[in-house]
Each structure stands twice: as structure tokens, then as C-alpha cells.
Amino acid sequence: MAFRNLKLVGCVIYGRGSFNQLDEIIAPHRKAGAPMIFLVDHFFEGKALASRIPISGNDKIIFVDVTYEPKTTYVDDLARELKETFGIVSGIIGIGGGSAMDLAKAVSLMMTNHGSSADYQGWDLVKSPGVYKVGIPTLSGTGAEVSRTTVLTGPAKKLGMNSDFTPFDQIVLDPELTADAPANQRFYTGMDCYIHCIESLTGTYLNEFSKSYGEKALQLCREVYVNKSGWDADSDEKLMMASYAGGMSIAYSQVGVAHAVSYGLSYLLGTKHGVGNCIVFDKLQDYYPEGVKEFKIMVEKNNIDIPQHICAGLSDDDFNKMIDVSLGMKPLWENALGKDWEKIMTREKLRKLYEQL
Ligand code: NAD
Ligand code: ZN
């Protein structure tokens, strides 16, 4: 068996207010005449955070549309526009949730790799390191700040550019930035982390490395969503570290049933990652009995709405498309159900599961 030689994020700064050090952090990476490009979640257009971005020279802020999860066409357009306008850039800085961070990673890679980002959806297809890239989360949970992937929807598939060149060179973990996120959104994205932990800790790929991070992340999620009433500054800090540790946990193991099923929803219906995972996990008591029980307690306690009946009225064709996408996620199923997963998760069984969502 070959062990994975895990490529990690280059530098990490953590702390309330650490965003204020961004200027000095990026200064050594500035190249003469080449701007820093800030890809900022469109939510922050006109907000206080946007005016705190340390622009200088010909730097540019681009507010990115994250209404839909990142598409390869959007990545290609952004990279082409930057190459046409500036030739080279000093770096790409993504500020936002998982979507804005993934866009930043992908655009950085497409500044130096030829063709379309769709050509690199898969494992270890990226040829050259991208330009300097920084990730600054404003929502906690996805683990996109630490992962070696950037999840993109392409013409043929929804799949990440997984490579050793994908992780950020620098991340800025400032819990202050997540303070004002709407409660439902913050819960859906936070549950992405909770679900990463459950899927990693109950999976067949589990090892001590993943377990160490997964257990810590799970404990932090519980402190935020089970033990407390209401949200405070401490919750922002805990969930930010939960996201980091949860990301580290799955980096050396794998996710499971909720993610495999949710990918089908996202492909067919455009359901976003966080809420999609919640919709699926809510119905997975046969696979994760303890986790689902606790999940329902957290939903109730935090007064969250989980959408129901989103698959009502879909055609056989639609169900088959989702089933194809889902069963294509082989490592996820193998992690969740073991080597014989194909005998356990039949198309009929998966169809029944989708019908409940
Ligand atoms: P998101 O980035 O899609 O953002 C969700 C919504 O929250 C958007 O409307 C956004 O504008 C808004 N928002 C972000 N920060 C806010 C703030 N502080 N206050 C108010 N609103 C704010 O949500 P997400 O759940 O963080 O990310 C999901 C994306 O991450 C998906 O595209 C998914 O594929 C990707 N993802 C990537 C990885 C990875 O390893 N690369 C892992 C998991 C998920
Ligand atoms: Zn996830």
C-alpha cells in the first residue's frame, strides 16, 4: 500500500483581528507591476470588510457571484480576463465561503496552466503551480481553507481539481469575519464540518491521523451546537477551528454516504453543498444512527429549517441521473460501506433514499 504524502497549506495565521495583518503578510509576495487580485464574495460588496482590503498600485477587487457553486466556465473567464488585462498577477486572494475560496484556488491554477479548468477535474492532472494564493474564510465548515481540492461543476462532471498545487500558500483565520453570517447559512456550512467528522470517524479508511483531528472537530461542533444556547464570539472561534480540524481529518481519510448522495442533488438540482448535506444526512439514520440522532437535536435546538420533499415530482430519468453521479463517487462509498459496497448500495436502494429527500 502506498501512503499519501500530504501537501499542506503553507502559512496559517489565526486570531480575532488577524485580517488587519493582511497587508504585511502579502507584501513580500508582490512583484513589480503585477497586481494582487482579491476575489471577494459578492455579499461583501459595499460592506465594511470590503473597505478594509489592503489594495495598492493596480490591485483589483472582483466581487464574485456565488449564487451557484463555482463552474469551470466562470473560472476560465476570470483567468482569461486577468491574463488579458494584466499579463501576470502577483497573487489571488479569495475572501468568502467555500465557493469564493474554491474560485480563488482554481483561478490561481489557471493563471499558469493551459486550456480549461475542466481539463484538470480529477486527481493530479494539474501541471504547474499556480500563482501565490491566499484563502480567507468568512463562513466556517467546508474545510476548503485546508483541502487539496477545489470543487467545480464542469460540462461533464462535478469534480475537484485535486492536486499538490491546489492548497493555499497562506490562510488567514479570523473568527471575526464569520460573525454576521445568517443563522441558517452558518448552520448548513457548520454541519458540513459535523458531517465530515461523522463520515470520517465511522469510515473504513479511518486511521489515527484522521481520528485525532476528527474527534477534536466533533467536540468543537458539539460545544457550539449542542452545549450552548445562542451564538457568541466564542462560537465563531470554535467553529473556525472545527472547520480546520475537520478538513485535516478528511484530508487523510474520506467522506461518506451524505456527500455521495448530496453530489447527485447538486448535479441535478443545483442544491448547494451545505444545505444538500443536511437534507441527506437528516434521512441517514440507517447508516449513521448516533450522528443523525444528534443532528436532529442540533436542528431543533438551533431552530433551523431543513428543506423537505425536494425530490417530489422528479422523473425516472432525473432519479437515474442522480444515481449515476452518486454511484460514481466510489471512494466515498467504499469508505462508508467497505469493499463490498456495491452489493450493499444497489440502485434500487439509492432510489428509495432519493425519494425520501
Ligand atoms: P458559500 O461559499 O457557497 O456561501 C453561501 C452563502 O453565504 C453565499 O450566499 C455567500 O454570499 C454567503 N456568505 C458567505 N460569507 C458570509 C458572511 N460572513 N455573512 C453573510 N453571508 C455570507 O458557502 P459554503 O458552505 O462556505 O461553501 C460551499 C462551497 O464550498 C460549495 O461550492 C462546495 O462545493 C465547496 N466546498 C469545497 C470544499 C473543498 O475542499 N474545496 C469542501 C467542501 C465544500
Ligand atoms: Zn463537505
Side-chain angles (χ1 to χ4, degrees), residues 192 196 259 273 277:
D192 191 17
H196 290 160
H259 278 76
H273 189 80
N277 283 348

Side-chain angles (χ1 to χ4, degrees), residues 106-285:
V107 171
S108 155
L109 293 172
M110 293 317 294
M111 293 305 290
T112 56
N113 285 279
H114 297 292
S116 163
S117 49
D119 305 337
Y120 304 103
Q121 286 181 281
W123 281 268
D124 303 303
L125 302 173
V126 180
K127 304 276 184 304
S128 342
V131 300
Y132 175 70
K133 52 182 159 347
V134 181
I136 309 181
T138 65
L139 278 175
S140 293
T142 64
E145 64 278 20
V146 289
S147 74
R148 79 189 285 278
T149 188
T150 159
V151 185
L152 301 177
T153 305
K157 54 198 165 196
K158 182 181 172 191
L159 188 60
M161 295 165 80
N162 294 265
S163 83
D164 279 350
F165 300 125
T166 310
F168 284 115
D169 298 296
Q170 169 82 56
I171 56 176
V172 177
L173 303 179
D174 183 345
E176 217 169 69
L177 305 185
T178 62
D180 300 324
N184 267 341
Q185 180 63 57
R186 193 161 52 190
F187 184 85
Y188 299 147
T189 303
M191 281 304 112
D192 191 17
C193 176
Y194 178 82
I195 295 167
H196 290 160
C197 294
I198 301 297
E199 292 182 327
S200 169
L201 290 169
T202 59
T204 59
Y205 290 5
L206 188 64
N207 51 70
E208 202 54 45
F209 184 101
S210 292
K211 196 174 162 204
S212 309
Y213 284 107
E215 284 176 346
K216 185 67 199 179
L218 188 61
Q219 176 211 330
L220 290 166
C221 287
R222 284 180 176 146
E223 286 175 27
V224 169
Y225 286 115
V226 183
N227 301 349
K228 273 200 217 198
S229 306
W231 194 270
D232 57 14
D234 176 65
S235 313
D236 286 311
E237 289 165 16
K238 289 203 159 78
L239 199 59
M240 188 158 269
M241 286 320 298
S243 176
Y244 180 93
M248 290 294 288
S249 178
I250 47 170
Y252 223 84
S253 61
Q254 189 45 277
V255 288
V257 181
H259 278 76
V261 177
S262 147
Y263 264 74
L265 292 179
S266 149
Y267 189 81
L268 185 80
L269 306 172
T271 315
K272 291 195 94 178
H273 189 80
V275 69
N277 283 348
C278 288
I279 292 169
V280 178
F281 197 70
D282 195 38
K283 305 284 190 269
L284 293 185
Q285 56 281 352

